Every structure is written in C-alpha cells, then in structure tokens.
Amino acid sequence: MCVPVAALVVLMSVFNGLEGMVTSLYRAIDPDITITPASGSTIPTEELDIEALRKVEGVESLTLTLEQGAMVEHNGRRAMVNLKGVDENYTEVLPIAERVVAGDFSVEGQAMVMASGVMNDLGLNSNSIGEQIRLYAIDRTRFSTLLPTSGFSMQEMMLAAAYSIDEDNSHVVITSLGNAQQLLRYGNRISKVELRISPEASDRRVAELLQAEVGDKARVLTRHQSNSLYRLMALEKWGVFGIAALVVLIASLSIVGTIVMVMIEKRDDIATLRTMGATERLIGRIFTCEGLLMATLSGMAGIAIGVALTLLQQHAGVIRLDAASLSIDAYPVELRWGDVGAIAVVYALIAFGVIRLTVKAMMSKRA
C-alpha cells in the first residue's frame, strides 16, 4: 500500500501546483472581488457609493471598468474585440503591467493597450507600438436597422503597449474609462467595480460586507465565484482524490491476503491461547493490531516517499517543461500539509475498516 499512498500525495501536489500556476497567471486580470449589476450589463456610477465601498474593512483599492464588444481596424484588417475601459486606479488593483510584452502600459489620453491575439489578427508586432488604430462600436443613441451603417461610432487611438495572458484573453483591448464611455455612448455608466483586498483579509467576509453596502442593486463575487475555472479545478482535484482513494481501497486487499495467511499459519497458536483462557475478542484484537502495524508502516513510508518526491520537484525542478509562455521551466507542484492530513485520515479509515472486517470474518469461520 506504500506505492498508491505515495502516488496520491504526488497527485494532489500536482493539482495544487497547477492551481497555483493558474492563479498566478490570472491574477493580472482577475480581481479579488468583482461587483456587477444585479440586472443588465451596466449601472450608473451614481447608484453606487464608491467612497463607502473604499472604506469597507479589508478593501485596499478599487477601480471602475466598462466592458463591451467593439471592432478594431488597421490597414484594412479587422478584428472583433472586447473593449475594456479602466480608470486611473486599474494598475493598483491588477498587476496587468507585469504581462506587458511590448511598450509601456498606459491608457492616458487617446491610448490603448492591446492583447497579443488582437495584434496577430491585425498583423501588428512590437515595432507597431505608437501607430494609430481605429475602433468602432455600435452607437446606441443612433443605431437603426434601416440605416445600420450610420449607427456606429469611431475613434482613433494610439497603440501604447501589448500584453499576453492566454488564448481566452487574447482579444481584449484596454483603454481609459472616459474613452470607452465616449465610444460606446454609455455616458456615466460602468459594468464592473473591481477590488483588491488586503492579504490578511478573508475574501468571503469582505464580499459579505460589500454586498450589505450595495444592497440589491449589484452582485458581489469573489475571484473563485466569478471565474468558473477555479471551481472546475477544485472539483477535478477532489474528484481525482476520490478515484485515487478507490485505488487505495483496492490496494488494501493485499493486507487481507496477508492477515488471512498469518491467521492460518498461527492456528496452533490460536488454539493454545484459547486453552490458556484467551477470549475471542482478545485474539481478534491481537491480529487486528498486527494488521494495523503493517498498514501504519506502509502508510508512513508512502507518505514519506510522496512528500520527498514532491519537495524534490518543488524546490529542485527535476521534471522540466518547455513552456516559456507560462513563465515556468519546471512542472508545477505544491505540497500542502492539509492534503497530506486528508490522505492520512482516508488511508487510516480504509485500512482499519478492511483489517477489522477481515479479522472478524476469519474469527467467525473458526468459531
């Protein structure tokens, strides 16, 4: 049983490493907490008491954003994008500047920051920084199905920088909140309030305080609630844990065979103990303790091997990866002692149950 226990420790650590890698990757675009309208896609800023939100315990900074679909054009090439307008506090909430691959992050004036995927669609590269790009959006105040060509607004903006996250976020263009509101004709409306909380604060507790502040006008979501990827990874991790626990259960059948053989070999000793006055309960406890001793040694060895392998990979990076786009060069693993404890508890319950049932069955047959 040593091998499946060690494999389970390594497997859980691998999922932890992948979760940590994804969190590190997405922290540049996923705020700790997001406030969105309860209905519709936008909300007037005057309906939210922004200063009261800033003063909520645990909130370090917040930014107002507006997101809507738009189209970019350059030298006859076009691409559909998700236009995101942000205010001057955006970089205080999200470290998007860390993901810039060309230019310097800036949305001041008529400037924009473009995802690398949009750059590729328009045939742009790092030498294109500083060029003028056209943005088109539906003019909500004039759009008509009879004259659709007159229902669009247009702005020219300078390409200030390019950033890269992943394929899912490769079609986002960031500009100032004022530019986005003007192009999209949304006046003084926003679609989100994105917040950063202090490291020691609980995101759920802060979310509850924020929800009490905004009432039923908006919804408050933590990072894990707003991005289904985190929930999916958690479900996958514990689903695999359950499957691996079944493997441990099957592996525990080896203890069954060992206990059965020991009890058969010791049948003369069992008879002697009975002659000396030993009860069936005492004899059963003797073989149960012997089985638990074997299981304990196997479990401790498995956990020790799993922890050693995990720490070796975590600190030495023995298994390498060719993934420069992910900013890592070794397969990510992360040892969490809580997971080790959960593995130990599940293993102990399985081992005790199997051993107890085996000894009880064998004693009943001998009786």
Side-chain angles (χ1 to χ4, degrees):
M1 296 183 68
C2 171
V3 174
V5 172
L8 187 53
V9 173
V10 173
L11 187 62
M12 295 294 283
S13 300
V14 167
F15 274 96
N16 293 336
L18 292 175
E19 180 183 355
M21 182 191 70
V22 171
T23 301
S24 176
L25 181 66
Y26 279 87
R27 73 186 182 92
I29 55 173
D30 281 343
D32 295 329
I33 295 178
T34 303
I35 301 176
T36 59
S39 60
S41 59
T42 62
I43 185 173
T45 54
E46 57 268 19
E47 290 191 13
L48 298 175
D49 191 342
I50 304 301
E51 290 305 316
L53 296 179
R54 295 183 194 273
K55 296 177 181 178
V56 170
E57 182 182 358
V59 174
E60 285 195 350
S61 183
L62 64 81
T63 180
L64 309 180
T65 65
L66 174 64
E67 294 185 46
Q68 192 75 29
M71 184 181 73
V72 291
E73 180 186 30
H74 180 70
N75 290 339
R77 300 182 67 167
R78 301 179 179 88
M80 301 303 299
V81 300
N82 183 28
L83 180 64
K84 183 171 186 176
V86 302
D87 66 12
E88 64 277 4
N89 300 319
Y90 187 67
T91 53
E92 296 179 7
V93 177
L94 295 166
I96 184 68
E98 296 177 0
R99 307 299 299 183
V100 170
V101 294
D104 296 313
F105 186 91
S106 175
V107 293
E108 296 181 359
Q110 295 295 106
M112 68 163 67
V113 178
M114 187 177 291
S116 57
V118 184
M119 299 264 298
N120 294 333
D121 291 342
L122 298 182
L124 303 175
N125 52 45
S126 58
N127 296 325
S128 303
I129 301 300
E131 294 189 13
Q132 295 293 317
I133 310 294
R134 288 186 177 182
L135 285 93
Y136 296 88
I138 294 176
D139 189 338
R140 300 168 50 256
T141 62
R142 296 191 306 166
F143 187 78
S144 171
T145 56
L146 298 178
L147 296 171
T149 56
S150 64
F152 292 89
S153 58
M154 186 273 290
Q155 282 190 24
E156 284 195 358
M157 300 185 191
M158 181 194 72
L159 179 60
Y163 73 96
S164 176
I165 302 292
D166 66 0
E167 292 183 0
D168 292 336
N169 295 276
S170 62
H171 289 80
V172 178
V173 171
I174 302 175
T175 187
S176 68
L177 180 61
N179 287 340
Q181 289 174 334
Q182 181 180 357
L183 178 65
L184 300 172
R185 301 293 192 264
Y186 266 115
N188 196 33
R189 302 178 71 91
I190 60 172
S191 56
K192 291 181 182 178
V193 179
E194 301 180 353
L195 303 97
R196 188 187 72 190
I197 64 175
S198 56
E200 65 276 5
S202 167
D203 57 350
R204 292 188 178 183
R205 175 58 180 164
V206 176
E208 291 175 358
L209 295 175
L210 290 169
Q211 188 66 70
E213 181 65 39
V214 299
D216 57 0
K217 298 188 295 292
R219 295 183 303 159
V220 180
L221 303 173
T222 64
R223 175 188 285 116
H224 289 78
Q225 291 172 334
S226 60
N227 192 334
S228 60
L229 179 62
Y230 299 110
R231 299 194 300 273
L232 179 62
M233 292 189 66
L235 289 174
E236 186 178 11
K237 172 184 174 180
W238 293 109
V240 171
F241 178 82
I243 296 173
L246 291 177
V247 174
V248 173
L249 177 60
I250 296 173
S252 66
L253 297 179
S254 61
I255 293 182
V256 173
T258 302
I259 294 176
V260 170
M261 292 303 298
V262 169
M263 295 185 71
I264 291 175
E265 291 178 358
K266 300 295 183 179
R267 59 182 179 273
D268 293 337
D269 297 328
I270 293 175
T272 302
L273 290 172
R274 284 174 174 164
T275 303
M276 296 174 63
T279 62
E280 295 296 318
R281 183 179 180 183
L282 176 59
I283 296 173
R285 289 177 63 182
I286 292 173
F287 287 104
T288 298
C289 290
E290 186 173 354
L292 289 176
L293 179 60
M294 291 187 294
T296 301
L297 293 176
S298 297
M300 292 177 63
I303 290 176
I305 293 173
V307 169
L309 291 175
T310 300
L311 292 177
L312 180 64
Q313 175 64 22
Q314 183 173 334
H315 296 288
V318 177
I319 302 177
R320 315 300 290 182
L321 283 178
D322 184 14
S325 60
L326 298 178
S327 301
I328 59 173
D329 55 3
Y331 203 93
V333 296
E334 180 184 346
L335 181 68
R336 295 181 185 173
W337 293 109
D339 291 343
V340 176
I343 293 169
V345 170
V346 171
Y347 172 79
L349 292 174
I350 291 175
F352 178 78
V354 169
I355 293 169
R356 183 62 179 160
L357 291 175
T358 303
V359 172
K360 185 176 181 180
M362 290 297 295
M363 294 300 296
S364 64
K365 286 184 179 181
R366 297 193 63 85

